Amino acid sequence: MQLKTTLVMVAALLAAPVASRAQVITSGTDAPVELTLDRMVELGLRDSYRVRHLQLEVERTRSLLSAERAGMKSRVSLNISAPQFQKISDNKWNSTLQRNELVREDTRRFQAEMSVRQPVILFGYPTNGVLSLNNRVYRYTQADGDEKDTTFYNRYFIAYNQPLFQPNEMKNDLEAAELNLQKAELRYASDVVAAIDDYASDYVDLVTDAFRVERAGEFSRDLVMAMDAVREVVEANPTRAGDLDLLRVELANAREAESQSANNLRNREQTIKQRLQMPAATPVTVKAGLEVAPIAIDPSEAIRLASSLTPRIRQLTIATRENEIRLDETRGENAFRMNLGLTYGREVQDPRFQGLWSEPRNSYTVEVTATVPIWDWGQRQHRIQAQQFSLDRAHLSQQQAL
């Protein structure tokens, strides 16, 4: 129950705005601060640079995941080339003369192209294909001395591009971003729990020192009472004077031990105040005692939770999946791949700009490209083998942890 209360308090603290959190901590600075486990965790996590660093890391990976998800939606772009001038000589083949000749080119092009791209997702599954709506308009002028020939061109078309026989980059990138976010959240949770464990150990040490001071003080008071009783005995029987001397020595030792315990407690308080970033002059108090409440634990349920909820187990599961993704990508490197590209639309070319939307003609393109690896001296196979070893190692680490 104590741990549950602490975790709830930590969650509320980290979710609270920074200003309100500071107000809670700084109020009543001159008054003694009673250090409890909850209070120490609150003060320790308030300005923890490690926790703040991990919070920023979680937000960074969450933004990257949002970017990957946004990449699955439509994207609109406008490309403009205005102007594009070319006045240069180049070798070109003359089919009439059946030889190359040096041709001087003098052209002017003003072009704008708008595209709406949409990754193709079927039933929530990215296909790695892209469907786009496009419109291309340009003004093209060719100059030959004083003569100029100007043509306007307009084409609006649908395009579809589909990679085949290769890793699904869209799916892998999205899953990798999700795994990175999970890793950042697990690191954050692990460090918070580790910090709570450290503060709990410090709290136990502090309570132990306070308990020793209290017990040393009680022992000294008991010795004083014993000396009063022995004095009455010595008055009645002077031969027992040696007992009184022994008590004086024991009392001196007890007071020395009490002083040493009090000094240890002060040192412990200063160390803890430094860790909690509290002013050194801030007075603190602590109760010299711990309340231990027994909790019934089912061993089988504890094993199940430890095997499924432990951050280490989940981190190893994520690492295994990341290695599987890298193996899939490695198999696609320098392997057989194909790409299918299709376009269909309407186009018009006219010497007048007003005629760009009259009497359009059908236009289409079909393009199938393929890459066929022939020989690479086993480079691809060795890389796949190396990545397979990494995956096997991840599986072994996961099995060992379980």
Side-chain angles (χ1 to χ4, degrees):
M1 183 63 68
Q2 177 73 9
L3 178 58
K4 181 179 180 181
T5 303
T6 301
L7 293 178
V8 171
M9 182 275 299
V10 171
L13 173 67
L14 297 179
V18 176
S20 61
R21 213 182 307 165
Q23 183 179 2
V24 170
I25 302 303
T26 56
S27 60
T29 304
D30 297 332
V33 177
E34 181 180 354
L35 291 182
T36 61
L37 178 58
D38 292 346
R39 187 64 168 170
M40 284 187 60
V41 171
E42 179 186 2
L43 293 173
L45 297 182
R46 176 195 58 180
D47 295 322
S48 173
Y49 288 102
R50 177 61 178 169
V51 171
R52 290 164 60 188
H53 173 82
L54 290 173
Q55 284 178 325
L56 294 176
E57 177 66 13
V58 170
E59 294 302 324
R60 186 186 74 87
T61 53
R62 184 174 287 115
S63 297
L64 291 176
L65 176 58
S66 299
E68 290 295 336
R69 289 174 175 170
M72 299 296 171
K73 301 177 182 179
S74 300
R75 181 183 304 174
V76 181
S77 61
L78 175 63
N79 299 322
I80 299 175
S81 298
Q84 180 183 358
F85 294 166
Q86 291 187 358
K87 191 172 184 180
I88 190 172
S89 298
D90 195 7
N91 288 319
K92 293 188 177 181
W93 176 256
N94 190 321
S95 60
T96 302
L97 301 177
Q98 291 294 306
R99 62 185 176 88
N100 286 328
E101 63 178 352
L102 198 62
V103 178
R104 185 170 180 82
E105 180 181 1
D106 188 358
T107 62
R108 307 286 188 271
R109 180 193 293 264
F110 294 83
Q111 178 174 306
E113 181 174 357
M114 176 170 285
S115 176
V116 181
R117 297 167 53 88
Q118 172 62 55
V120 179
I121 301 176
L122 297 178
F123 306 105
Y125 182 84
T127 64
N128 210 27
V130 177
L131 182 67
S132 62
L133 300 176
N134 307 271
N135 182 221
R136 180 183 302 161
V137 179
Y138 64 78
R139 176 182 183 271
Y140 187 68
T141 300
Q142 300 181 79
D144 184 9
D146 295 334
E147 298 182 2
K148 293 184 179 180
D149 181 20
T150 299
T151 301
F152 292 91
Y153 178 84
N154 179 30
R155 185 187 184 212
Y156 42 94
F157 60 95
I158 299 175
Y160 178 67
N161 184 270
Q162 178 64 59
L164 302 171
F165 306 106
Q166 50 190 294
N168 192 330
E169 295 182 1
M170 288 185 182
K171 172 182 172 297
N172 289 343
D173 291 344
L174 179 60
E175 187 174 1
E178 293 174 345
L179 293 176
N180 286 334
L181 176 58
Q182 293 179 26
K183 287 194 302 183
E185 291 175 341
L186 287 173
R187 285 194 299 267
Y188 173 75
S190 298
D191 275 43
V192 169
V193 172
I196 293 175
D197 182 66
D198 290 340
Y199 293 130
S201 298
D202 291 340
Y203 178 70
V204 171
D205 293 337
L206 181 64
V207 171
T208 300
D209 288 339
F211 180 81
R212 287 173 179 170
V213 170
E214 187 173 316
R215 295 291 81 79
E218 291 181 357
F219 185 55
S220 297
R221 290 191 295 271
D222 290 342
L223 287 176
V224 171
M225 295 173 61
M227 287 183 63
D228 294 338
V230 170
R231 286 193 183 94
E232 296 179 359
V233 174
V234 171
E235 291 177 357
N237 187 3
T239 59
R240 301 289 301 275
D243 295 339
L244 186 59
D245 294 334
L246 290 175
L247 285 174
R248 289 194 181 97
V249 174
E250 189 65 27
L251 179 59
N253 293 335
R255 287 176 174 172
E256 178 65 24
E258 181 182 3
S259 176
Q260 182 63 39
S261 298
N263 186 56
N264 293 338
L265 178 60
R266 286 192 296 270
N267 291 336
R268 180 83 62 184
E269 290 175 350
Q270 292 300 324
T271 301
I272 289 178
K273 285 191 288 186
Q274 184 177 7
R275 284 200 59 189
L276 300 179
Q277 302 184 31
M278 297 173 59
T282 302
V284 296
T285 60
V286 61
K287 293 182 179 180
L290 290 175
E291 295 181 2
V292 180
I295 301 176
I297 298 177
D298 183 6
S300 59
E301 181 68 9
I303 294 175
R304 187 189 68 81
L305 294 176
S307 301
S308 59
L309 298 181
T310 303
R312 175 61 177 166
I313 301 298
R314 296 173 62 190
Q315 287 171 343
L316 290 175
T317 303
I318 292 174
T320 300
R321 181 55 189 154
E322 286 179 331
N323 277 279
E324 291 174 349
I325 293 176
R326 283 194 287 267
L327 178 60
D328 179 55
E329 294 175 344
T330 302
R331 285 173 176 165
E333 294 178 359
N334 298 326
F336 173 77
R337 57 176 57 198
M338 184 179 292
N339 193 79
L340 172 64
L342 304 172
T343 68
Y344 176 79
R346 307 277 279 174
E347 67 175 3
V348 177
Q349 58 178 350
D350 196 277
R352 298 177 301 107
F353 181 78
Q354 292 80 0
L356 287 183
W357 286 269
S358 61
E359 299 181 1
R361 296 176 298 177
N362 291 335
S363 65
Y364 65 89
T365 63
V366 178
E367 182 180 12
V368 179
T369 59
T371 301
V372 182
I374 304 299
W375 185 255
D376 64 353
W377 299 95
Q379 181 188 44
R380 174 175 174 270
Q381 188 63 34
H382 288 309
R383 287 181 175 174
I384 293 176
Q385 188 177 24
Q387 188 56 48
Q388 183 65 53
F389 288 146
S390 297
L391 179 59
D392 294 341
R393 186 175 59 182
H395 281 302
L396 286 176
S397 298
Q398 190 174 8
Q399 294 173 4
Q400 182 182 11
L402 293 175

